[in-house]
Structure formats: structure tokens, C-alpha cells
Amino acid sequence: MNNTDCPMCRRWEEEKDLRIAELEHSYLILNRDQFFPGYTLLFTKNHVTELFHLDRDVRIGLMEEVSWVAQALFDVFTPAKINYELLGNMVPHIHWHIVPRFASESLWPRPIWAEPHDELLLAPDQYVQYIEKIRSVLQ
């Protein structure tokens, strides 16, 4: 698969309104569906499918970025738990679903994919508010 065929590779360009940050090894965007407040996607700049495809130093740096983002989401949203999903079965490009979870959710404590839910789309200014809050903690 070349980069133009990959949904993750295209997402940074196509969803500019959801961009949170460009980090050293990855891109961070807010997920359009905010059924889980603060749900973000962090994906590698390089189109790779497995962690072992990365140079050791890049892999270590990437894991630091995942942790840094999770801490920022925890600070902004004060969830009960942060969930991390790294699958790649549907989109063969390393990407984490980093999802703040709350005990008050209808799906708690089950995985976010335990049952279907209606998408929760925000007003444009609400996306901006979430993104600005996350950015302010990351800096």
C-alpha cells in the first residue's frame, strides 16, 4: 500500500480542523466522533505496520509520545482510566486510539467497541476548545 492509499497517511491533510500537534515521530488528531470525550488518534509519520519495523530509538521516542499524550488527556479530562488500542487490522499503519474513559459511561468498563453507538459530532467551536485545551497541556 502506498501512502496515498492509506487512510491514516491522508488523514493529517484531509482533517486539518482536527489537528492537535505534530510531534517528533507522530501526528496527533482529535477523533471526529467524541462519544468518548477526548478520544484522540496518534499515528506514526512513517508508514509502517509494526512497532518492530521502527528503529529502536524511534520506537522509544514514539512510546514516550504516546505516554505524553495520555498524560495530557488525563490532565484535561480527568477520566477514570485511559485506554490504548494499537490494532492495525483495518488500517495497516501504526496508530493508537488513546481514549479517556469514565465510570459514568454506558459502556463502562467494557471496551469502546463492545457495542455500537451513535457518533457524537461536536459543533466546530467545541472541537476547537478541546484541541486548545489539549495543546495547552502538551506545551
Side-chain angles (χ1 to χ4, degrees):
M1 172 178 296
N2 70 40
N3 292 2
T4 58
D5 293 332
C6 174
M8 292 313 297
C9 290
R10 288 192 318 265
R11 202 159 184 172
W12 185 251
E13 292 306 319
E14 293 177 356
E15 298 190 26
K16 292 180 179 176
D17 62 318
L18 298 177
R19 288 181 180 181
I20 298 171
E22 179 176 351
L23 306 174
E24 183 178 354
H25 305 291
S26 63
Y27 298 110
L28 180 65
I29 63 172
L30 195 64
N31 194 43
R32 178 98 36 213
D33 176 8
Q34 285 293 297
F35 183 84
F36 301 98
Y39 184 157
T40 62
L41 294 160
L42 182 140
F43 53 99
T44 55
K45 288 182 174 179
N46 296 328
H47 182 92
V48 294
T49 59
E50 305 297 338
L51 286 170
F52 59 80
H53 291 157
L54 297 171
D55 174 79
R56 182 178 187 276
D57 291 338
V58 172
R59 186 171 53 247
I60 290 168
L62 184 64
M63 293 310 301
E64 285 299 313
E65 291 175 2
V66 170
S67 296
W68 187 34
V69 167
Q71 178 69 59
L73 294 175
F74 191 86
D75 291 348
V76 170
F77 295 96
T78 59
K81 175 76 176 86
I82 299 283
N83 283 179
Y84 309 80
E85 290 282 348
L86 172 61
L87 300 171
N89 301 338
M90 299 287 289
V91 178
H93 184 139
I94 291 179
H95 65 285
W96 274 266
H97 299 255
I98 307 175
V99 187
R101 299 295 306 274
F102 303 87
S104 60
E105 295 169 16
S106 60
L107 290 178
W108 179 263
R110 297 172 293 151
I112 64 171
W113 293 292
E115 63 185 65
H117 66 268
D118 292 331
E119 278 192 349
L120 177 60
L121 301 179
L122 305 178
D125 65 314
Q126 291 175 296
Y127 288 110
V128 170
Q129 288 172 9
Y130 276 15
I131 289 166
E132 287 177 355
K133 285 179 185 177
I134 297 166
R135 277 184 189 151
S136 71
V137 175
L138 284 174
Q139 296 173 356

